[in-house]
């Protein structure tokens, strides 16, 4: 089949340069012109060496390697039309050598505001103008997620009404956005019914189970295997830092809170870590670069990791805080590092307890708190079980499911 024959089909596509029907790019994120990306009519496309340079009406240009374009062909042969997953394998393509050189393409056209490419083996690829614009090299695809925002003085968590959450996309988007951005959000005025927390979670994704099971009850119990199941106060902590991957998002739904005490507190661990870096940089470095041991043990489990208190990402920003003084294991360091480590730990504790960054609240029956357990520390005051009942139901969710929910809502 000659390259010219294969052009017959693309040249009949669309009704002209202002046809608005989107070209199927095996992509569910919005990319249509005038929708996600205004003024992205295609003006020109030409080969320059091994690349195709594309120009849009808004003046933006993109320089696409031939390899990239071939790799991203969205036709039904190259992308599975149902799963949208890639079928094409650039690694095995006999055209590879020609893609690496200059002659992988026999034709470059703009038709009906689509880039149409005919490859040297006769294969035809078509690209939607807006889709290509969103993905021009060197330009990160805009995130649909809110960036983390550090708590400032007098930070108050966002509150979303339970009915808004259950009945409207906007309510759920508001709640998910707040949890991802601030690491803490409240849901108000829910029913005082057992398992409401499970129904809330179902709207977002499957719960993450741990050695404490799936959905757990926080109330004082006989024979507790965890401080949370007593009436004692819990100092600020993160849950399960002894796991390789501690749970991301914790939901705690209040059913009863009639006992004296039991107030909740929260602090932004990332903001505290940044404050420590500012005030005591040496202490920060020690906590960020000294792995220590965390461990939980009961009759059936012994779950342990060796990780630092402050975990940093590739850019040096805090990515995760592991802080839980009662399941910190034996400190196993050379003696001449111990004093400095304890001093750093104590300095961080002072930042974590800074009242300026602390949120305190008393959960009301029907109220739920959600927080990012890998960033925000939580605690509760001791309560007196003889003065009334306190009962929370909790579970964990994966952050991926919250992010996914927000992306889906933005389609
Ligand atoms: C926990 C916990 C807080 C509370 O279960 O890990 O911290 O308010 N509970 O009881
Ligand atoms: Zn293809
Ligand atoms: Zn906890």
């Amino acid at each position: 089949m000659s390259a010219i024959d294969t052009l017959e089909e693309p040249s009949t596509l669309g009704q002209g340069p202002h046809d608005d029907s989107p070209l199927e790019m095996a992509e569910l994120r919005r990319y249509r012109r005038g929708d996600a990306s205004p003024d992205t009519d295609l003006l020109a496309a030409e080969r320059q060496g091994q690349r195709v340079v594309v120009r849009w009406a808004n003046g933006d240009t993109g320089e696409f390697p031939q390899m990239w374009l071939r790799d991203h062909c969205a036709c039904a042969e190259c992308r599975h039309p149902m799963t949208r997953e890639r079928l094409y394998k650039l690694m095995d393509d006999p055209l590879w050598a020609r893609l690496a050189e200059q002659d992988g393409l026999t034709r470059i056209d703009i038709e009906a505001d689509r880039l149409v490419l005919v490859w040297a083996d006769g294969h035809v690829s078509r690209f939607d103008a807006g889709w290509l614009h969103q993905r021009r090299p060197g330009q990160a695809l805009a995130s649909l997620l809110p960036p983390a925002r550090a708590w400032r003085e007098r930070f108050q968590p966002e509150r979303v009404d339970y009915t808004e959450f259950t009945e409207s996309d906007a309510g759920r988007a508001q709640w998910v956005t707040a949890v991802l951005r601030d690491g803490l959000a409240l849901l108000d005025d829910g029913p005082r019914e057992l398992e409401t927390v499970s129904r809330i979670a179902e709207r977002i994704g499957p719960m993450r189970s741990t050695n404490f099971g799936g959905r757990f009850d926080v109330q004082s119990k006989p024979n507790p295997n965890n401080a949370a199941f007593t009436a004692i106060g819990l100092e600020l902590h993160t849950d399960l830092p002894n796991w390789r991957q501690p749970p991301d998002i914790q939901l705690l739904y209040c059913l009863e809170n009639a006992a004296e005490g039991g107030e909740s507190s929260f602090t932004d661990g990332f903001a505290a870590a940044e404050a420590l870096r500012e005030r005591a940089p040496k202490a920060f470095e020690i906590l960020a670069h000294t792995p220590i041991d965390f461990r939980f043990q009961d009759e059936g489990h012994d779950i342990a990791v060796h990780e630092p208190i402050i975990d940093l990402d590739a850019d040096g920003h805090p990515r995760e805080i592991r802080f839980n003084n009662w399941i910190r294991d034996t400190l196993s360091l050379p003696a001449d590092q111990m004093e400095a480590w304890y001093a750093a730990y104590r300095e961080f504790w002072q930042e974590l307890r800074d009242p300026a960054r602390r949120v305190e609240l008393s959960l009301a029956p029907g109220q739920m708190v959600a927080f990012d357990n890998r960033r925000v520390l939580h605690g509760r005051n001791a309560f007196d079980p003889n003065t009334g009942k306190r009962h929370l139901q909790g579970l964990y969710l994966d952050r991926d499911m919250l992010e996914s929910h927000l992306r889906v809502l933005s389609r």
Side-chain angles (χ1 to χ4, degrees):
M1 188 195 277
S2 80
I4 300 304
D5 290 340
T6 64
L7 278 180
E8 259 171 48
E9 197 199 337
S11 61
T12 62
L13 263 179
Q15 304 305 308
H18 296 291
D19 174 20
D20 269 338
S21 59
L23 175 60
E24 177 57 63
M25 293 300 294
E27 169 58 57
L28 293 172
R29 178 179 168 144
R30 288 154 62 158
Y31 57 85
R32 292 179 57 180
R33 165 163 34 94
D35 186 356
S37 42
D39 293 329
T40 53
D41 289 2
L42 278 176
L43 282 192
E46 58 181 19
R47 199 178 66 202
Q48 276 183 20
Q50 314 108 306
R51 310 221 166 118
V52 176
V53 176
V54 174
R55 206 145 47 79
W56 290 270
N58 64 4
D60 288 338
T61 57
E63 202 179 306
F64 294 88
Q66 289 182 92
M67 289 176 190
W68 187 96
L69 290 163
R70 184 61 195 87
D71 187 36
H72 290 82
C73 181
C75 81
E77 259 173 65
C78 295
R79 284 252 167 193
H80 192 289
M82 304 307 292
T83 69
R84 300 181 181 81
E85 291 166 332
R86 180 177 290 106
L87 297 170
Y88 172 74
K89 288 177 292 174
L90 178 65
M91 309 82 82
D92 291 342
D93 193 332
L95 208 60
W96 168 258
R98 298 178 73 178
L99 293 171
E101 298 298 328
Q102 302 194 8
D103 60 347
L105 281 163
T106 58
R107 190 152 174 191
I108 300 173
D109 264 325
I110 294 172
E111 291 174 18
D113 209 35
R114 288 135 192 205
L115 177 67
V116 181
L117 302 177
V118 182
W119 300 98
D121 60 1
H123 193 79
V124 180
S125 301
R126 299 178 190 101
F127 296 93
D128 178 274
W131 185 94
L132 265 186
H133 182 263
Q134 278 184 334
R135 288 162 183 75
R136 59 201 191 282
Q139 186 76 31
L141 191 60
S143 170
L144 298 171
L145 307 176
R149 196 163 73 186
W151 298 7
R152 292 173 214 282
E153 216 157 320
R154 286 189 295 280
F155 163 78
Q156 286 301 317
E158 191 126 326
R159 306 168 77 121
V160 177
D161 203 67
Y162 173 83
T163 313
E164 288 285 305
F165 176 96
T166 52
E167 289 176 10
S168 84
D169 286 354
R172 272 194 314 288
Q174 187 191 351
W175 179 84
V176 173
T177 300
V179 176
L180 295 176
R181 181 191 62 212
D182 303 328
L184 178 67
L186 289 166
L187 206 60
D188 286 341
D189 292 323
R192 299 181 187 192
E193 271 169 37
L194 289 167
E195 299 306 340
T196 306
V197 72
S198 308
R199 287 194 290 278
I200 291 169
E202 273 164 21
R203 302 302 301 266
I204 307 293
M207 66 184 161
R208 157 90 192 274
S209 298
T210 72
N211 54 304
F212 297 108
R215 213 266 305 124
F216 51 86
D217 287 280
V218 181
Q219 59 198 143
S220 76
K221 308 182 200 184
N223 308 317
N225 67 347
N226 177 321
F229 304 147
T230 67
I232 62 178
L234 302 176
E235 291 276 19
L236 289 168
H237 65 282
T238 61
D239 279 7
L240 306 174
N242 58 308
W243 281 60
R244 190 169 301 273
Q245 185 179 322
D248 294 335
I249 308 296
Q250 179 163 186
L251 310 186
L252 282 175
Y253 194 93
C254 177
L255 291 162
E256 283 181 275
N257 200 3
E260 247 167 58
E263 300 83 2
S264 310
S265 9
F266 303 90
T267 199
D268 181 353
F270 289 178
E274 291 298 356
L276 181 70
R277 169 153 42 196
E278 186 79 23
R279 185 174 63 74
K282 268 203 142 122
F284 177 89
E285 290 303 316
I286 289 173
L287 296 185
H289 297 117
T290 314
I292 60 154
D293 294 301
F294 296 91
R295 181 160 172 238
F296 170 88
Q297 39 181 336
D298 68 4
E299 303 315 317
H301 304 94
D302 192 332
I303 308 168
V305 295
H306 186 65
E307 294 286 352
I309 298 269
I310 301 172
D311 183 37
L312 303 178
D313 66 17
D315 298 325
H317 300 304
R319 170 168 50 196
E320 164 151 33
I321 306 295
R322 291 178 193 258
F323 199 107
N324 190 319
N325 197 54
W326 61 89
I327 62 166
R328 192 162 53 72
D329 200 12
T330 305
L331 184 66
S332 155
L333 289 175
D336 65 359
Q337 288 179 27
M338 286 206 194
E339 286 95 349
W341 188 89
Y342 278 116
Y345 188 60
R346 195 165 174 275
E347 294 275 11
F348 190 35
W349 181 234
Q350 282 156 13
E351 288 299 344
L352 290 169
R353 289 175 53 90
D354 184 340
R357 275 188 302 267
R358 192 179 176 101
V359 168
E360 295 189 33
L361 50 93
S362 189
L363 287 170
Q367 193 172 42
M368 185 187 84
V369 65
F371 51 92
D372 179 346
N373 180 58
R374 299 173 79 170
R375 164 182 172 191
V376 166
L377 289 80
H378 63 287
R380 67 143 194 250
N381 293 341
F383 60 94
D384 179 355
N386 300 318
T387 56
K389 229 184 138 190
R390 185 179 191 272
H391 184 196
L392 311 180
Q393 288 194 315
L395 53 77
Y396 303 113
L397 290 173
D398 288 318
R399 182 188 183 89
D400 306 69
M401 289 293 100
L402 276 77
E403 295 184 352
S404 162
H405 197 80
L406 212 50
R407 292 193 191 102
V408 170
L409 287 176
S410 78
R411 279 178 190 164

